[in-house]
């Protein structure tokens, strides 16, 4: 298992699609941080590099709000690039829109079933990752996806997806999140961290504090792309 720290490349990045000649699975991250990256993927230069017909797009966590809500993670990704570039059948959102799906445990179970159907098994095989690429961000408390410090969901080892009844940070709405084992089942995990507001939490992570972001590791390579503004002073 490899882990690398890199400063963020100004020109952005793109998944290594040449490593898989079959179906490709990418797990996106939500929030505001990746929006610029997603918009970049829709530009002509990057759009031409992606074999859209064989890439399936999943989401690492979702807020249980209607699809038209600005807080909806997959809707942000759809507006930024997916609706313009990806076949609709290749986009796999977490269900949030009907009354009976406002229960995070129900939505989690449905998404877990969808992931298992895509993967073709109910147990993850370390030799066959679920995802080719998992994109990640970090929250101000060190959370990833919707796995918050001290929450039972962080310790889940059997399930692939869990319901999170209450968030630890705003917005305080129920969530659905992939678990650490599901997120780890990837060829590459790529963190993108930018801005001065991330410096405090990166200082804690660099010090080795036991936070979800320090427990997230790929089966293959884990890479952190960090811009100058986010780096703690003693790391510059």
């Amino acid at each position: 298992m490899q882990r690398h720290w890199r400063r963020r490349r100004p020109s952005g990045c793109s998944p290594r699609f040449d490593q898989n000649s079959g179906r490709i699975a990418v797990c996106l991250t939500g929030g505001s941080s990746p929006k610029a990256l997603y918009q970049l993927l829709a530009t002509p230069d990057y759009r031409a590099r992606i074999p859209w017909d064989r890439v399936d797009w999943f989401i690492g966590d979702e807020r249980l709000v209607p699809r038209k809500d600005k807080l909806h993670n997959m809707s942000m990704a759809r507006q930024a690039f997916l609706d313009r570039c990806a076949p609709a059948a290749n986009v796999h959102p977490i269900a949030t829109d009907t009354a009976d799906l406002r229960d995070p445990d129900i939505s989690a179970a449905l998404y877990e079933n969808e992931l298992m159907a895509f993967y073709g098994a109910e147990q993850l095989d370390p030799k066959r990752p679920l995802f080719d690429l998992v994109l990640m961000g970090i929250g101000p408390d060190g959370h990833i996806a919707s796995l918050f410090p001290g929450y039972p969901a962080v310790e889940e080892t059997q399930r692939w997806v869990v319901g999170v009844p209450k968030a630890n940070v705003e917005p305080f709405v129920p969530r659905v999140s992939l678990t650490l084992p599901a997120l780890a089942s990837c060829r590459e995990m790529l963190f993108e961290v930018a801005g001065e507001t991330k410096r405090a939490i990166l200082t804690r992570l660099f010090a080795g504090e036991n936070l979800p972001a320090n427990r997230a590791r790929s089966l293959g390579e884990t890479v952190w792309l960090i811009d100058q503004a986010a780096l703690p002073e003693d790391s510059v």
Side-chain angles (χ1 to χ4, degrees), residues 40-121:
L40 186 67
L41 294 179
T43 60
D45 184 37
Y46 281 87
R47 187 170 181 171
R49 304 182 193 183
I50 299 174
W52 296 98
D53 60 333
R54 60 186 183 90
V55 182
D56 284 83
W57 305 89
F58 297 88
I59 193 80
D61 74 311
E62 189 57 87
R63 299 149 175 174
L64 291 195
V65 296
R67 283 180 297 172
K68 294 184 178 180
D69 194 302
K70 64 181 181 180
L71 298 176
H72 196 274
N73 286 331
M74 186 61 97
S75 291
M76 181 276 289
R78 282 183 181 275
Q79 293 169 10
F81 77 106
L82 290 175
D83 282 350
R84 284 177 286 164
C85 304
N90 291 17
V91 180
H92 305 268
I94 293 172
T96 65
D97 262 4
T98 61
D100 60 333
L101 294 178
R102 296 300 173 88
D103 183 329
D105 291 332
I106 294 176
S107 290
L110 288 170
Y111 206 55
E112 183 174 78
N113 288 340
E114 183 168 358
L115 284 170
M116 289 179 176
F118 177 83
Y119 186 67

Side-chain angles (χ1 to χ4, degrees), residues 84-169:
R84 284 177 286 164
C85 304
N90 291 17
V91 180
H92 305 268
I94 293 172
T96 65
D97 262 4
T98 61
D100 60 333
L101 294 178
R102 296 300 173 88
D103 183 329
D105 291 332
I106 294 176
S107 290
L110 288 170
Y111 206 55
E112 183 174 78
N113 288 340
E114 183 168 358
L115 284 170
M116 289 179 176
F118 177 83
Y119 186 67
E122 296 183 359
Q123 298 292 327
L124 293 169
D125 182 351
K127 297 180 180 179
R128 186 169 68 93
L130 171 60
F131 300 112
D132 293 272
L133 176 69
V134 170
L135 295 174
M136 298 282 259
I138 57 170
D141 59 348
H143 78 264
I144 50 149
S146 283
L147 301 176
F148 300 101
Y151 277 37
V154 180
E155 308 302 330
E156 178 62 49
T157 59
Q158 300 301 315
R159 295 184 60 185
W160 299 15
V161 190
V162 292
V164 181
K166 183 179 179 181
N168 191 43
V169 298

Side-chain angles (χ1 to χ4, degrees), residues 9 13 15 29-30 32 58 77 91 95 104 125 140 144 194 197:
R9 293 189 291 266
C13 57
T29 185
S32 58
F58 297 88
V91 180
D125 182 351
I144 50 149
T197 60

